[in-house]
Structures are given as structure tokens and as C-alpha cells.
Amino acid sequence: MSLKTEISFRLNGRAVSVTIPVTMKTLTMLREVLGMTGTKYACGEGECGACTIRLDGRTVNSCLMYAVDCDGRELVTIEGLKTENALHPMQQSFVDHGAIQCGFCMPGMIMQADYLAQNNPELSCEDLRRGLEGNVCRCTGYTKVLDAVTAVVEARR
Amino acid sequence: MSDVQNYLSPHRLDDAVKAMAGGDTTVLCGGTDLSPQTDSGLREYAGTLMNIRRIEGLSGIDLIDGQIRIGALVTVTGIGNSQLLDELAPVLVEAADQFASDQIRNAASLGGNICNASPAGDMIIPLLVLDAVVELSSWRQGTVHTRQVSLDEFFTAPGKTVRQENELLTAVIFDQPAESFVAHFRKSGPRPALEIATVSVGIGGRLENGSLSGVRVAMGAVAPTPLRARSVEATLEGKTLDAETIRAAAVDAGEQATPIDDVRASAWYRRHLVCVFTEEVLNDVLEN
Ligand SMILES: Cc1cc2nc3c(=O)[nH]c(=O)nc-3n(C[C@H](O)[C@H](O)[C@H](O)COP(=O)(O)OP(=O)(O)OC[C@H]3O[C@@H](n4cnc5c(N)ncnc54)[C@H](O)[C@@H]3O)c2cc1C
Ligand code: FES
Ligand code: FES
């Protein structure tokens, strides 16, 4: 039996306490313990960004992050972006621009895009391309993704 | 499989090093190396898993009495965003900018990059150029004992260092570079950023009247450990940085490299890149 420990943190604004094995990754905890399957597992090695979440405001790969390290922190996942009745503006822009195909990369892509747009109101196309380097999409070819994010950045100016 | 029997997340350095006194501890920081290594079975957990990210006092970047001190927990993002480093040691910011992806940079720590001891570690090369030392802390005779080891002498083999099992890397320290000090870093991988370096080169020195002195040359992924290329340093020392000197240094750098063939690149190609990068980095230094 692997050693377990109890941790408490905030997830999408709610307080959560959960007992997990000490070597479990945050992604596994989200999907398999908490049933929050919005965040996706693809490579499991930090290469693709499908598992991107926010931790204390900054994006990280949840497949690499140990769940124990969530203790006392603030997490936001793709489920935390939308409000009661409406999609988040970044989600809506992806829909409006036809930037989503199979959609598997999109939770991570949108989390990272939202992070970039929020942190840099002057986000240029070059900044955006660099900022999305850790997010791989096998369908869209990225052009419409860039259009979708750029539209949000411009609307906020 | 995990046979961890004990999990700790100390807030104080003395508690952390006390817990490490008996060895048998796996240190966890950002987890970006530890996760893939344990998931793939490359590495087993020790009896105690210790998360060091809550330890206070190891997250600063400070200038103290002419020395720059970077805490082990500082992330690559923290290095990239540091105004102090941008002013005093911009080669570190330059290297941080070429490191992995945003998400990895947000998690990856300086201490983890050094202790993982990859010959390709991207923070290591600029720190060798800055002639840094690492501070190792342990519990001895009822108190926290620290010793400093030159980064140049820290690595012994891929993944291996002189750090003892009971020691925690707590900081990296280097002298504030002279006003005329210029340094640059360049790396390559098949993908521009999100890639372990195929090879990397860092070069620095005091640039006065077109010639370099106090030259330091470091190369990554061309030998079992990150490498200080002393003979290239000698080739450059005190010479006017003209095309001929730069060419000679590039050829010498290629000869110093003892790279391997692997999935990322052949040894021949790596050696070729070392020559090209040495030339490019020296031209960058000259332009500064
Ligand atoms: C997709 C991907 C891309 C990457 N790209 C790059 C890249 O471009 N350049 C690069 O250099 N690296 C890269 N890496 C490797 C890794 O991100 C870095 O080496 C990182 O700095 C490790 O820091 P960490 O805090 O995540 O370390 P951890 O994984 O927590 O620890 C790494 C090792 O160091 C030990 N350790 C950590 N801190 C200490 C300490 N203070 N004292 C003693 N021991 C300690 C741990 O026990 C472990 O053995 C990449 C990794 C991934 C997954
Ligand atoms: S699943 Fe985490 S980066 Fe690919
Ligand atoms: S939409 Fe299919 S992977 Fe991106």
C-alpha cells in the first residue's frame, strides 16, 4: 500500500480536502479522485500541455505536478473558467473562430491562452506563438487558435 | 511502485536538513524531472519523500556585499523575470528565455536543474560562465552546516554530483560581474524551445577595447557532465576578438567536445554545432 496523506486547497474557488497517495500527480487526482475530467491526459510527460491548469495564478503541467504540492494553494481548471450561464470569453472566442476540431488539446490550450492574455495586455502575435510553445494541437494547424486569442486581446484593449 | 513510508513538507530549513540527516530521502521540488524519472521506472523513491517548496528563505534573488545569491527554489520563470539579474547577469535571463515552455518554466526550480545534473541543464551553462558556487546545507552537531562547492567541481557523471545524501542545495552564489563583463548563451534542439538541448554554449568575459579577458567558456550536452572548456578560454584570453581568433576558438571548441550519438543528434552533428555556436556566441559578445 502506498502512503497517503490529506491535503486541502481551493479548486475553482471552492475549498477541497482530499486524501491521496503521496506520489500521485495532480492530473490523476483531478480526473480519478475528484471526477473533474475537463483537464486532459495526453503525453503525461510535460510535452503537450493538454493537462495545463493554473496554480496560484501561473500555468503548470498537472501531469508532472505532485498532488501533495497542491496543499494550501489555489487551483483553477478549465471547469473554473465559465460562469453559471456563459462560456468564458476565451472559450467563446475559440468557438466563434472555429478554432476547435477534435478538442482534446483545448482545455490546456485555452487555460494557457487565458493566462497569456491576462498577464500581457500588449500580447503580440510573436509573444502568443512563444507562449503557446508548450501546447501541441494535432488538428487545427494553430492559425485559428491564434486568431481566437488575438480577438480576445484586441477586444480588451 | 512507490514504497514511500514518510512524507514531509517542512517550512524551515533546519527541519528539512534534520530530516535528511539519515539519508534515504527523495527531494521533491517542481517535480518536472522527478515525475518522468519515477513514472518510467528510471528511478525509485527513497523511504522519505520531502517536498522542499514550502521552506522559507530559499526563494530570493539578492545582491549582498557584491555577491548575487539565488535561492534553490527560485523558478526558471523567476529568473527570467528578475530585474536584478537582467541588469547584473543577463546571460541567465537569456538562458531562461530558451528553457522549455511557459508551463515547465513556472514549475522548474534552479536547484532541481542543478541537482538533476543533466549534461544539458540549461541553467548550469550560464552559471559556469559566471563562475558560480553552490551552497550545500546539512545538519551537523545540532545546527545547520553549510559548505560551498564550485559548480565547476560539482558534477561527476550524468545525474551524479558531489552532493551527499544528507545535503540540500540551498543557493547558488556568484560575484557581481564587472561593469565590462559580457556573456551570451545559445542552445539548440530539434524544436526551438521545448527541447532538451542538443548542444549549448555559453561564453563570457570582460570586453575591453575589442579583446576579452577573464574568459569563461562552458558547453552543454557535449560530454558526460557540463563542461568548462579551458583550452578555448586560453585561446581567447587577452586576444583581440577578430575573425581569426574567433575561428580558432570555434575549431578548438569542436575538438574539446566529446559528444555522443543519440536519438537527438549524431556526435558529428553535435561537434559541428559546437563550432557554429561558439562562433555565433563570440560574435554576440563582440556586439554587446
Ligand atoms: C517537457 C520538459 C522540457 C524540459 N526542458 C528543459 C530545458 O529546456 N532545459 C533544461 O535544462 N531542463 C529542461 N527540463 C528538465 C527540468 O524541467 C529541469 O531540470 C528543472 O529545472 C528541474 O527542476 P524541478 O524543480 O522540477 O526539479 P525536481 O524534478 O523536483 O527535482 C530534480 C532533481 O533534483 C533533486 N533536487 C531538487 N531540488 C533539490 C535541492 N534543492 N537540493 C537537493 N536536491 C534537489 C530532486 O531530488 C531530483 O532528483 C525539461 C523537462 C520536461 C519535462
Ligand atoms: S499530459 Fe501533461 S503535458 Fe501532456
Ligand atoms: S483540436 Fe484536436 S488536438 Fe487540438
Side-chain angles (χ1 to χ4, degrees):
Chain A
M1 267 312 287
S2 45
L3 179 72
K4 293 188 174 183
T5 191
E6 186 180 1
I7 56 170
S8 303
F9 55 98
R10 293 187 73 78
L11 176 59
N12 299 330
R14 274 186 310 124
V16 175
S17 282
V18 59
T19 298
I20 40 103
V22 296
T23 55
M24 181 177 267
K25 303 305 169 322
T26 303
L27 179 60
T28 316
M29 173 186 75
L30 287 170
R31 294 181 57 86
E32 293 175 17
V33 180
L34 298 171
M36 307 271 288
T37 54
T39 309
K40 300 300 180 219
Y41 177 96
C43 71
E45 296 181 346
E47 297 277 357
C48 78
C51 64
T52 301
I53 61 166
R54 286 245 215 161
L55 171 74
D56 287 346
R58 291 195 189 280
T59 47
V60 295
N61 301 109
S62 64
C63 68
L64 297 179
M65 186 190 165
Y66 284 68
V68 283
D69 202 32
C70 294
D71 194 40
R73 297 188 185 240
E74 176 95 40
L75 270 66
V76 179
T77 65
I78 189 74
E79 289 94 339
L81 286 194
K82 65 171 183 1
T83 51
E84 193 68 35
N85 306 312
L87 290 177
H88 183 277
M90 190 62 80
Q91 292 173 309
Q92 190 60 53
S93 185
F94 272 67
V95 173
D96 294 344
H97 285 83
I100 301 171
Q101 291 188 28
C102 83
F104 203 79
C105 69
M106 285 298 156
M109 188 75 78
I110 291 172
M111 291 304 289
Q112 180 64 12
D114 178 49
Y115 167 70
L116 295 170
Q118 211 176 52
N119 274 285
N120 183 1
E122 304 297 318
L123 195 73
S124 67
C125 198
E126 179 56 25
D127 296 333
L128 183 54
R129 282 167 183 275
R130 293 246 19 222
L132 290 176
E133 267 168 350
N135 293 81
V136 176
C137 173
R138 305 204 63 169
C139 304
T140 65
Y142 304 101
T143 306
K144 290 182 175 180
V145 169
L146 298 178
D147 292 346
V149 186
T150 305
V152 173
V153 173
E154 280 172 0
R156 285 187 190 156
R157 280 211 181 115
Chain B
M1 251 351 278
S2 140
D3 44 11
V4 177
Q5 283 131 38
N6 193 13
Y7 170 72
L8 300 171
S9 180
H11 288 248
R12 289 169 41 152
L13 177 61
D14 54 355
D15 288 337
V17 290
K18 229 184 273 180
M20 288 175 85
D24 197 34
T25 306
T26 300
V27 172
L28 164 65
C29 197
T32 61
D33 280 317
L34 191 63
S35 266
Q37 287 168 11
T38 48
D39 284 351
S40 68
L42 203 69
R43 180 165 169 191
E44 303 266 311
Y45 291 106
T48 296
L49 179 66
M50 186 166 76
N51 178 3
I52 60 171
R53 276 178 126 186
R54 303 295 189 283
I55 301 176
E56 283 153 22
L58 303 186
S59 303
I61 304 178
D62 301 295
L63 176 63
I64 309 162
D65 297 334
Q67 288 196 314
I68 296 168
R69 180 189 172 91
I70 311 179
L73 304 187
V74 170
T75 60
V76 177
T77 298
I79 289 172
N81 289 344
S82 165
Q83 209 105 47
L84 184 86
L85 293 178
D86 192 42
E87 252 169 59
L88 301 180
V91 66
L92 277 171
V93 177
E94 191 181 20
D97 191 51
Q98 296 175 52
F99 196 106
S101 62
D102 239 12
Q103 290 97 319
I104 299 275
R105 287 194 290 270
N106 284 339
S109 67
L110 178 62
N113 195 239
I114 295 172
C115 290
N116 189 55
S118 157
D122 282 336
M123 290 294 108
I124 298 167
I125 302 306
L127 285 169
L128 284 170
V129 169
L130 293 162
D131 206 19
V133 298
V134 298
E135 179 189 85
L136 299 171
S137 300
S138 59
W139 186 250
R140 205 193 274 184
Q141 291 164 348
T143 178
V144 179
H145 171 81
T146 65
R147 65 170 177 138
Q148 294 190 347
V149 179
S150 162
L151 190 60
D152 188 24
E153 289 161 7
F154 188 64
F155 306 102
T156 55
K160 299 263 182 301
T161 71
V162 301
R163 183 179 71 86
Q164 302 292 304
E165 267 205 349
N166 64 339
E167 288 178 315
L168 191 67
L169 191 153
T170 38
V172 177
I173 302 161
F174 53 90
D175 289 340
Q176 175 180 349
E179 194 85 39
S180 59
F181 183 84
V182 181
H184 282 288
F185 170 84
R186 183 115 161 61
K187 84 176 224 194
S188 91
R191 271 198 274 167
L194 199 98
E195 190 50 80
I196 310 303
T198 302
V199 300
S200 59
V201 173
I203 303 175
R206 293 187 305 278
L207 181 66
E208 278 144 1
N209 306 319
S211 73
L212 275 184
S213 55
V215 190
R216 288 189 288 264
V217 177
M219 309 194 291
V222 299
T225 62
L227 193 72
R228 264 287 287 279
R230 311 253 176 211
S231 89
V232 185
E233 294 174 1
T235 303
L236 290 165
E237 185 66 35
K239 305 266 173 52
T240 303
L241 262 192
D242 54 19
E244 197 185 331
T245 307
I246 291 179
R247 193 61 220 151
V251 170
D252 193 17
E255 278 165 14
Q256 297 306 304
T258 53
I260 51 164
D261 283 306
D262 71 5
V263 291
R264 295 199 181 87
S266 66
W268 174 86
Y269 180 60
R270 286 198 156 98
R271 198 171 305 225
H272 173 70
L273 279 181
V274 167
C275 296
V276 174
F277 284 5
T278 301
E279 216 166 320
E280 286 182 358
V281 172
L282 281 170
N283 280 316
D284 286 349
V285 166
L286 193 57
E287 267 170 35
N288 207 288

